[in-house]
Amino acid sequence: MSGRWFPKRLIDIGPDDEKLRIIETSETLPTGPYASFSHCWGKQPDFFILTAENLAEVKHRIPLELLAPNFRDAVKTSRCLGIRYLWIDSLCILQRGEGSGKDWTEHMVAMRDVYACCVLNISADRAAGAKDGFLGSHSLNLGSPVLVNHPTLPLHRLVDLGLAHTCLGRSPLAKRAWVFQERWLSPRILHFTAYQVFWECHTRRLACEAFPDHCPTNADCNAYSGDSTQEDHRWSPTMAPFAQDWLALKDRHGWYQILEEYTSRQLSFPSKDKFHALAGVVKQVQQRWPDEYIARLFRSDLPLALLWGIDPDRIVSDVDLMPLKPNGSAYRGPSWSWTAHDRSLTYSLARACLAEGKNVTYAEVINASVLPADPNNLLGPVLSAQLLIRGHVCNARWGSNGHKAKSAGRLELMRKDGSSMSHKCEYEAALDNPNMSEHSDLWPDGMIILLVAEVMGKHIFFRDAGLLLVPDSSSDREIGQKWRRIGVWMNHRNDEESAAAVMGSVEPSMLTIV
């Protein structure tokens, strides 16, 4: 297997009558391909793991009975498929002891190759934890086609178009953010769900036991009914990404759909994993669109890429994290980057601007500076970041809340003398931290809005959009005031007057946003 890439360590499972052991691929070159394994650790992961203390022992032998049920099932599956080598994160990365931090960092950099270079990914979709196992019995009743024989119509098959979403999209594994990347990168995946075994690869659409050719879509039903003009191009995380041929990535809209899906999933250690768990996908996207990557935003998409929001209907965590300062242990990114928050993302504003292509951008990014935690890994965590933006700003204050969602409310644009200037249009705001709307009296003084873009399209529900900013309390005012993002704002298409008309006459300002 000379010339083929392998992870640093693999489990040599051998045939049934031989022992399991860990091999260092720099010392023992594998004689065949390897399979990777996607799984949930569970709420109390007290199973057998690789540590600095037991490394020498497991390189000699790993008793099968020491492994958690999920891992024993993975070994059995790999053996049945004739794949001798297996990669499991908890058994191939040092989890504790001397050198474990360095080992983890090395693997984070190599994670894209770990999954992209495997021959197959074994996915334990049905198991909520390592002790559950995934080879239990399952029923094919769910999703199996039903023949419908009508006296006046041809024989029809009644199929469930939501089968993949039910089995894959609602599985315990689908909630994990790491698994989004693992599934995207792997060349082939064998999914073990509670109802069906699914298969996806580069050359075949998502298939399962009930539909071994491919799972039915709207396009199949249209073709059967003779309507060949209707095609199903809806991108879904439960559809095989390979069969789409990056359909969603014909333009940048697909990238923002990726972000929305990724941020709707959970991370056990977001302060450590937020950047790493998507780095492999980012590398693939960069191959298609070479671009500077700034705190998880593409430079050429700025400033429109700043118009992300928090989806109030898809709460990932009960904790509302505002970005801490660079000397804080939980700092993950600047306030203008979605990486600073543990909530589900929506990019509807930015996508609308990019899709319409008929927008006037009023804000200009003059400079962007990022200090990476590791200079050799520009896709990893950052220690600090800031944007220098030139744009039109206006003082604003929080108005009455006219929405059920805590994160939404009205804004009033204010003159310097404190009087309202919003006479012919209403400005709506969506906050990054929904709890702030209930404690507006605790906000810093001096809130402003920054006008980012005016959209000219006929089918867009808003006219203008921008950022909500407050003074950053940690900035040294003698050096210069810095600002922190707390949300986005917009005004509606049917308003008599646009924000651009109100604010466009104001002389542009230079702002540093951290």
Side-chain angles (χ1 to χ4, degrees), residues 475-481:
S475 61
D476 187 343
R477 297 197 178 189
E478 293 184 2
I479 299 176
Q481 177 66 63

mmCIF file with all atom_site columns, all heavy atoms in Angstrom, residues 475-481:
data_model
loop_
_atom_site.group_PDB
_atom_site.id
_atom_site.type_symbol
_atom_site.label_atom_id
_atom_site.label_alt_id
_atom_site.label_comp_id
_atom_site.label_asym_id
_atom_site.label_entity_id
_atom_site.label_seq_id
_atom_site.pdbx_PDB_ins_code
_atom_site.Cartn_x
_atom_site.Cartn_y
_atom_site.Cartn_z
_atom_site.occupancy
_atom_site.B_iso_or_equiv
_atom_site.pdbx_formal_charge
_atom_site.auth_seq_id
_atom_site.auth_comp_id
_atom_site.auth_asym_id
_atom_site.auth_atom_id
_atom_site.pdbx_PDB_model_num
ATOM 1  N N   . SER A 1 475 ? -12.440 48.174 25.069 1.00 0.00 ? 475 SER A N   1
ATOM 2  C CA  . SER A 1 475 ? -11.574 48.970 24.203 1.00 0.00 ? 475 SER A CA  1
ATOM 3  C C   . SER A 1 475 ? -11.049 50.203 24.928 1.00 0.00 ? 475 SER A C   1
ATOM 4  O O   . SER A 1 475 ? -11.734 50.778 25.788 1.00 0.00 ? 475 SER A O   1
ATOM 5  C CB  . SER A 1 475 ? -12.318 49.385 22.935 1.00 0.00 ? 475 SER A CB  1
ATOM 6  O OG  . SER A 1 475 ? -13.443 50.178 23.264 1.00 0.00 ? 475 SER A OG  1
ATOM 7  N N   . ASP A 1 476 ? -9.847  50.599 24.592 1.00 0.00 ? 476 ASP A N   1
ATOM 8  C CA  . ASP A 1 476 ? -9.206  51.782 25.153 1.00 0.00 ? 476 ASP A CA  1
ATOM 9  C C   . ASP A 1 476 ? -9.635  52.995 24.337 1.00 0.00 ? 476 ASP A C   1
ATOM 10 O O   . ASP A 1 476 ? -9.234  53.163 23.192 1.00 0.00 ? 476 ASP A O   1
ATOM 11 C CB  . ASP A 1 476 ? -7.685  51.615 25.113 1.00 0.00 ? 476 ASP A CB  1
ATOM 12 C CG  . ASP A 1 476 ? -6.956  52.742 25.842 1.00 0.00 ? 476 ASP A CG  1
ATOM 13 O OD1 . ASP A 1 476 ? -7.581  53.790 26.087 1.00 0.00 ? 476 ASP A OD1 1
ATOM 14 O OD2 . ASP A 1 476 ? -5.767  52.559 26.157 1.00 0.00 ? 476 ASP A OD2 1
ATOM 15 N N   . ARG A 1 477 ? -10.466 53.837 24.914 1.00 0.00 ? 477 ARG A N   1
ATOM 16 C CA  . ARG A 1 477 ? -11.012 54.961 24.158 1.00 0.00 ? 477 ARG A CA  1
ATOM 17 C C   . ARG A 1 477 ? -9.958  55.984 23.782 1.00 0.00 ? 477 ARG A C   1
ATOM 18 O O   . ARG A 1 477 ? -10.158 56.779 22.865 1.00 0.00 ? 477 ARG A O   1
ATOM 19 C CB  . ARG A 1 477 ? -12.131 55.625 24.966 1.00 0.00 ? 477 ARG A CB  1
ATOM 20 C CG  . ARG A 1 477 ? -13.316 54.688 25.204 1.00 0.00 ? 477 ARG A CG  1
ATOM 21 C CD  . ARG A 1 477 ? -14.550 55.446 25.610 1.00 0.00 ? 477 ARG A CD  1
ATOM 22 N NE  . ARG A 1 477 ? -15.683 54.541 25.780 1.00 0.00 ? 477 ARG A NE  1
ATOM 23 C CZ  . ARG A 1 477 ? -16.933 54.949 25.968 1.00 0.00 ? 477 ARG A CZ  1
ATOM 24 N NH1 . ARG A 1 477 ? -17.195 56.251 26.008 1.00 0.00 ? 477 ARG A NH1 1
ATOM 25 N NH2 . ARG A 1 477 ? -17.909 54.084 26.112 1.00 0.00 ? 477 ARG A NH2 1
ATOM 26 N N   . GLU A 1 478 ? -8.830  55.978 24.509 1.00 0.00 ? 478 GLU A N   1
ATOM 27 C CA  . GLU A 1 478 ? -7.768  56.903 24.138 1.00 0.00 ? 478 GLU A CA  1
ATOM 28 C C   . GLU A 1 478 ? -7.137  56.492 22.813 1.00 0.00 ? 478 GLU A C   1
ATOM 29 O O   . GLU A 1 478 ? -6.657  57.328 22.053 1.00 0.00 ? 478 GLU A O   1
ATOM 30 C CB  . GLU A 1 478 ? -6.706  56.946 25.242 1.00 0.00 ? 478 GLU A CB  1
ATOM 31 C CG  . GLU A 1 478 ? -7.212  57.564 26.538 1.00 0.00 ? 478 GLU A CG  1
ATOM 32 C CD  . GLU A 1 478 ? -6.101  57.675 27.572 1.00 0.00 ? 478 GLU A CD  1
ATOM 33 O OE1 . GLU A 1 478 ? -4.952  57.303 27.244 1.00 0.00 ? 478 GLU A OE1 1
ATOM 34 O OE2 . GLU A 1 478 ? -6.379  58.151 28.686 1.00 0.00 ? 478 GLU A OE2 1
ATOM 35 N N   . ILE A 1 479 ? -7.148  55.187 22.558 1.00 0.00 ? 479 ILE A N   1
ATOM 36 C CA  . ILE A 1 479 ? -6.636  54.682 21.281 1.00 0.00 ? 479 ILE A CA  1
ATOM 37 C C   . ILE A 1 479 ? -7.708  54.789 20.206 1.00 0.00 ? 479 ILE A C   1
ATOM 38 O O   . ILE A 1 479 ? -7.432  55.113 19.049 1.00 0.00 ? 479 ILE A O   1
ATOM 39 C CB  . ILE A 1 479 ? -6.164  53.220 21.428 1.00 0.00 ? 479 ILE A CB  1
ATOM 40 C CG1 . ILE A 1 479 ? -5.031  53.147 22.458 1.00 0.00 ? 479 ILE A CG1 1
ATOM 41 C CG2 . ILE A 1 479 ? -5.715  52.652 20.092 1.00 0.00 ? 479 ILE A CG2 1
ATOM 42 C CD1 . ILE A 1 479 ? -4.563  51.724 22.731 1.00 0.00 ? 479 ILE A CD1 1
ATOM 43 N N   . GLY A 1 480 ? -8.940  54.538 20.587 1.00 0.00 ? 480 GLY A N   1
ATOM 44 C CA  . GLY A 1 480 ? -10.033 54.583 19.623 1.00 0.00 ? 480 GLY A CA  1
ATOM 45 C C   . GLY A 1 480 ? -11.168 53.678 20.047 1.00 0.00 ? 480 GLY A C   1
ATOM 46 O O   . GLY A 1 480 ? -10.924 52.571 20.539 1.00 0.00 ? 480 GLY A O   1
ATOM 47 N N   . GLN A 1 481 ? -12.412 54.159 19.905 1.00 0.00 ? 481 GLN A N   1
ATOM 48 C CA  . GLN A 1 481 ? -13.577 53.372 20.284 1.00 0.00 ? 481 GLN A CA  1
ATOM 49 C C   . GLN A 1 481 ? -13.737 52.160 19.355 1.00 0.00 ? 481 GLN A C   1
ATOM 50 O O   . GLN A 1 481 ? -13.632 52.276 18.138 1.00 0.00 ? 481 GLN A O   1
ATOM 51 C CB  . GLN A 1 481 ? -14.832 54.224 20.220 1.00 0.00 ? 481 GLN A CB  1
ATOM 52 C CG  . GLN A 1 481 ? -16.116 53.473 20.532 1.00 0.00 ? 481 GLN A CG  1
ATOM 53 C CD  . GLN A 1 481 ? -16.166 53.008 21.968 1.00 0.00 ? 481 GLN A CD  1
ATOM 54 O OE1 . GLN A 1 481 ? -16.171 53.797 22.882 1.00 0.00 ? 481 GLN A OE1 1
ATOM 55 N NE2 . GLN A 1 481 ? -16.178 51.697 22.161 1.00 0.00 ? 481 GLN A NE2 1
#
